[in-house]
Amino acid sequence: MTALTLTNVNKSFGAVHVLKDISLTVEDGEFVVFVGPSGCGKSTLLRVIAGLEDATSGEIRIAGEQVNLTPPSKRGIAMVFQSYALYPHLSVRKNMSLALRQEGQPKDVIEQRVANAARMLNLDPYLDRYPSELSGGQRQRVAIGRAIVREPKIFLFDEPLSNLDAALRMNTRIEIANLHRQLSASMIYVTHDQTEAMTLADKIVVLRDGRVEQIGSPMELYNNPANQFVAGFLGSPSMNFFPAGLVNEGDDRTMGVRPEDLFLSDDGPLLAQVIHVEHLGGDTNVIANVQSHQVTARLFGQHSIEAGQSLRLGFSAQKTFHFDADGLPAA
Amino acid sequence: MNKARTNPLNTFAMHGALIFYTLIALFPVFVILINSFKTRKAIFKEPLALPDTESFSLIGYQTVLKQGDFFLYFQNSMIVTVASLFLILLFGAMAAYALSEYRFRGSKLLGLYLALGIMIPIRIGTVAILDLMVSTGLVNTLWALILVYTAQGLPLAVFILSEFMRQVSDDLKNAGRIDGLSEYTIFFRLVLPLVRPAMATVAVFNMIPIWNDLWFPLILAPTEATKTLTLGSQVFIGQFVTDWNAVLSALSFAILPVLALYVIFSRQLIRGITSGAVK
Ligand SMILES: Nc1ncnc2c1ncn2[C@@H]1O[C@H](COP(=O)(O)OP(=O)(O)OP(=O)(O)O)[C@@H](O)[C@H]1O
Ligand SMILES: [Mg+2]
């Protein structure tokens, strides 16, 4: 069964057309990640799904039922906000149980569900504290707990980890992945973090300027990007683009090679002037100029390369992408 | 901790300045209080002396309690002040929420119109107000005063509160909507507690002028049954003789409730409950 279907959804704020003809489906139990540059409409799309904004046109179905006119609380969704948005004057327990009390659930059901969520998220010791007495990571877990107790059909996450520091972000990411496995619920997750998108998603939706650029599994998108934008957006460091003419005389297409597919080679086709080297221990990132085009090579292991020197880079022909002037793939 | 704050010299200077200011501000109150317990002669002979066995006298308080219906005046003032403050805060907050939360045609213009009252003193309209109150039959009722004071306080209340409400996180309100709270519940249970310091500020700003006002009670409700404390105290101030004992005692009485209200509101000012809601 499909958990969510969007058909030609549009959203305008006055004259500003923010979402343009968005159509997509989320299957039951699927983890879908929305990625895209800042301002492309990810949050707006999530808010339209939640019912916090009305779609200007188009249809939204949750579990097969049209919900365009259904208020947020009746849509069977729960949302986790980037800013946590905990109720400051309520204890953790009350924060988590408010929606259930509002629905008029019996007391024992509420207690049961709050206890379950608290156990899942290791929040037991904090149930009677107030949000101001918690750390950032604990607050985020409470926010997630508040979503879990509602047992929604779809979880909506809007950049839930962007306020956490790197180590905590990784832990919470793993926690969310675990949660998805345990609950086997549908989840929609907005982020502009590459790693979160690639590691969490069953399916990635790449957005640009309010349009869907491509939908697919992380590896599909990585291996077969639909256009130059998607190719450049996924993968870190991002794909190198340069005129194919640098390699083949007279070729007017744009060539793309991922940094990890470049290697040192004495007879490689690219003569590069090193500008900067990043030694990461396991990897070495070499940023270099090929004529006036900047390329990044990610070399495995440690290399004694220094800024200023020149070297030759090679790649295998199967690992290249070609795009025409419009950014579409060109064989 | 900030270094400048822990520097003992700075701390000393800061506290010195604050204590000095407090003394200046409290001095008149102190003088009123001590003199209200003295005989008329002692008040004029040595206004700054504390009452002693010889000069101690409760004559002022006795006059006040005998003369007119002092407790009624007191009650009238209390009713008018508290009711006006309540209405100012309720309607002010609701209007401010509508202006800050919902976009609708003309909302900017409406906000400007509501704020206009800050610049135009309501007393300019006294004649029209009196006309209005006479024709609606509200003249000589406490309602006349309550309505006028509410109107007088609303512009600033709307202005201050809408600024503060704009700062309440959208995510928090949206979380409430998703949890199934009605717009009214969101307003009363989420937004109001978060702007409580601003509400207290508005209350304190409005309270003193309302309590002390002589103009509107004199014009709109001068009957015995509706006199406020300020108006009631005027009987002791004559053109030729002023009963200073009674005036000072009446003033001492008048200070107490304002003090109590102020303590209630100022506690709200310093409550740090807002922290921890968002990031
Ligand atoms: N209430 C609004 N009125 C007018 N324009 C809006 C409104 N809300 C969002 N927008 C516009 O819609 C576009 C998309 O905003 P949105 O918040 O969805 O971006 P986003 O993809 O979530 O970006 P980010 O990654 O920075 O969070 C932006 O250009 C923004 O200016
Ligand atoms: Mg966003």
Side-chain angles (χ1 to χ4, degrees):
Chain A
M1 210 179 57
T2 48
L4 171 77
T5 318
L6 299 183
T7 321
N8 296 332
V9 168
N10 282 280
K11 172 71 192 172
S12 305
F13 291 107
V16 195
H17 201 174
V18 178
L19 298 180
K20 297 158 191 161
D21 265 334
I22 304 235
S23 299
L24 59 90
T25 58
V26 176
E27 302 299 331
D28 250 350
E30 203 171 28
F31 200 117
V32 176
V33 173
F34 294 171
V35 288
S38 191
C40 70
K42 305 181 295 287
S43 299
T44 308
L45 182 54
L46 210 60
R47 291 152 54 81
V48 167
I49 295 171
L52 297 170
E53 302 275 3
D54 292 325
T56 310
S57 69
E59 192 190 47
I60 305 157
R61 285 178 176 275
I62 292 178
E65 240 175 278
Q66 182 173 340
V67 293
N68 284 46
L69 299 175
T70 313
S73 57
K74 305 256 161 66
R75 288 194 179 193
I77 50 108
M79 190 153 170
V80 177
F81 296 88
Q82 177 179 354
S83 61
Y84 318 142
L86 300 179
Y87 309 122
H89 56 302
L90 298 181
S91 66
V92 168
R93 187 191 304 279
K94 293 228 165 103
N95 259 284
M96 300 217 282
S97 58
L98 182 66
L100 298 180
R101 277 184 289 148
Q102 211 64 29
E103 282 171 16
Q105 297 275 6
K107 262 211 171 76
D108 49 328
V109 173
I110 297 179
E111 256 167 50
Q112 180 69 35
R113 290 208 207 162
V114 171
N116 276 343
R119 190 159 23 77
M120 232 183 263
L121 295 163
N122 297 319
L123 283 171
D124 282 317
Y126 311 112
L127 278 178
D128 292 311
R129 290 211 200 164
Y130 285 86
S132 57
E133 301 162 344
L134 299 175
S135 73
Q138 289 162 348
R139 284 179 203 172
Q140 189 54 278
R141 293 213 298 276
V142 176
I144 295 174
R146 190 169 63 178
I148 292 176
V149 295
R150 306 193 54 197
E151 301 184 350
K153 297 183 195 118
I154 309 176
F155 283 88
L156 306 175
F157 294 92
D158 193 354
E159 307 200 30
L161 308 186
S162 56
N163 280 336
L164 305 180
D165 65 52
L168 203 52
R169 196 178 303 178
M170 170 141 176
N171 286 337
T172 316
R173 195 172 77 214
I174 294 170
E175 239 167 74
I176 290 180
N178 276 334
L179 213 60
H180 179 233
R181 258 189 301 273
Q182 285 176 36
L183 300 172
S184 56
S186 313
M187 296 189 171
I188 300 179
Y189 188 102
V190 167
T191 181
H192 42 227
D193 184 301
Q194 293 282 327
T195 332
E196 281 173 32
M198 299 299 268
T199 54
L200 287 172
D202 295 320
K203 183 153 102 186
I204 295 183
V205 178
V206 183
L207 295 164
R208 174 168 60 156
D209 278 347
R211 254 179 241 288
V212 175
E213 292 286 320
Q214 190 174 5
I215 302 180
S217 74
M219 288 312 120
E220 253 169 69
L221 265 56
Y222 183 84
N223 294 327
N224 298 308
N227 55 41
Q228 191 175 339
F229 173 79
V230 176
F233 195 78
L234 288 181
S236 158
S238 59
M239 188 186 278
N240 297 303
F241 296 109
F242 45 83
L246 287 184
V247 182
N248 299 318
E249 207 64 47
D251 195 336
D252 60 358
R253 297 175 300 176
T254 299
M255 184 181 252
V257 186
R258 294 204 181 271
E260 49 271 39
D261 293 333
L262 287 172
F263 48 81
L264 295 174
S265 149
D266 289 336
D267 54 355
L270 299 175
L271 176 63
Q273 197 74 31
V274 177
I275 320 173
H276 182 68
V277 185
E278 294 174 337
H279 298 283
L280 301 174
D283 293 322
T284 308
N285 288 339
V286 178
I287 295 106
N289 271 339
V290 175
Q291 294 185 15
S292 60
H293 303 279
Q294 185 173 316
V295 299
T296 305
R298 183 172 174 190
L299 307 174
F300 187 70
Q302 304 182 357
H303 298 258
S304 53
I305 299 172
E306 275 169 28
Q309 82 178 77
S310 28
L311 41 78
R312 283 196 163 270
L313 294 169
F315 49 85
S316 81
Q318 300 99 43
K319 296 280 179 78
T320 61
F321 299 86
H322 289 92
F323 302 99
D324 62 19
D326 296 327
L328 295 175
Chain B
M1 187 143 185
N2 194 328
K3 208 167 179 191
R5 277 205 226 153
T6 52
N7 181 338
L9 204 69
N10 271 349
T11 316
F12 181 78
M14 196 167 73
H15 281 87
L18 289 176
I19 289 169
F20 182 66
Y21 179 78
T22 311
L23 287 181
I24 290 182
L26 286 182
F27 185 69
V29 179
F30 176 72
V31 172
I32 289 173
L33 276 178
I34 56 171
N35 281 309
S36 70
F37 288 105
K38 293 202 290 203
T39 58
R40 185 179 169 83
K41 243 210 208 119
I43 293 175
F44 285 102
K45 212 161 80 192
E46 265 184 297
L48 294 184
L50 290 173
D52 53 27
T53 42
E54 202 178 310
S55 62
F56 181 81
S57 153
L58 286 176
I59 179 77
Y61 288 96
Q62 281 160 4
T63 322
V64 167
L65 293 182
K66 256 187 299 181
Q67 177 90 34
D69 204 341
F70 192 78
F71 279 110
L72 182 68
Y73 303 162
F74 195 89
Q75 190 187 326
N76 287 340
S77 272
M78 210 60 185
I79 291 174
V80 167
T81 307
V82 171
S84 307
L85 284 184
F86 176 77
L87 293 179
I88 288 172
L89 290 179
L90 180 71
F91 292 136
M94 286 168 103
Y97 186 63
L99 286 176
S100 63
E101 179 66 10
Y102 307 115
R103 303 149 167 248
F104 50 91
R105 201 179 290 275
S107 62
K108 277 256 164 61
L109 212 64
L110 192 64
L112 203 65
Y113 171 71
L114 287 176
L116 215 60
I118 299 174
M119 291 161 264
I120 303 174
I122 196 168
R123 288 182 189 189
I124 287 179
T126 302
V127 175
I129 290 174
L130 182 58
D131 252 1
L132 199 73
M133 293 298 174
V134 170
S135 51
T136 47
L138 285 175
V139 77
N140 280 328
T141 63
L142 293 181
W143 274 111
L145 295 178
I146 293 173
L147 290 177
V148 167
Y149 292 141
T150 305
Q152 170 185 299
L154 272 178
L156 193 64
V158 171
F159 186 73
I160 293 181
L161 292 176
S162 60
E163 269 324 298
F164 272 80
M165 284 185 187
R166 245 168 240 144
Q167 286 161 25
V168 174
S169 132
D170 282 337
D171 283 355
L172 194 65
K173 289 176 265 188
N174 285 335
R177 291 189 181 114
I178 287 178
D179 277 351
L181 304 183
S182 69
E183 290 297 308
Y184 280 99
T185 321
I186 290 174
F187 173 69
F188 283 113
R189 302 285 298 283
L190 293 184
V191 177
L192 279 196
L194 289 177
V195 298
R196 212 147 64 170
M199 305 265 286
T201 311
V202 169
V204 169
F205 268 131
N206 279 301
M207 177 176 68
I208 316 261
I210 294 177
W211 183 265
N212 284 342
D213 191 36
L214 183 57
W215 181 265
F216 283 114
L218 191 60
I219 291 167
L220 296 180
T223 56
E224 193 59 23
T226 55
K227 263 186 192 165
T228 60
L229 193 56
T230 322
L231 184 56
S233 312
Q234 298 304 310
V235 297
F236 305 119
I237 301 180
Q239 195 175 355
F240 305 109
V241 266
T242 295
D243 185 345
W244 284 108
N245 295 77
V247 170
L248 292 176
S249 307
L251 284 177
S252 303
F253 269 133
I255 291 169
L256 292 177
V258 189
L259 213 62
L261 285 179
Y262 182 80
V263 168
I264 294 173
F265 291 129
S266 63
R267 277 172 62 92
Q268 306 296 329
L269 284 173
I270 47 176
R271 282 266 175 96
I273 194 155
T274 52
S275 63
V278 292
K279 173 64 181 163

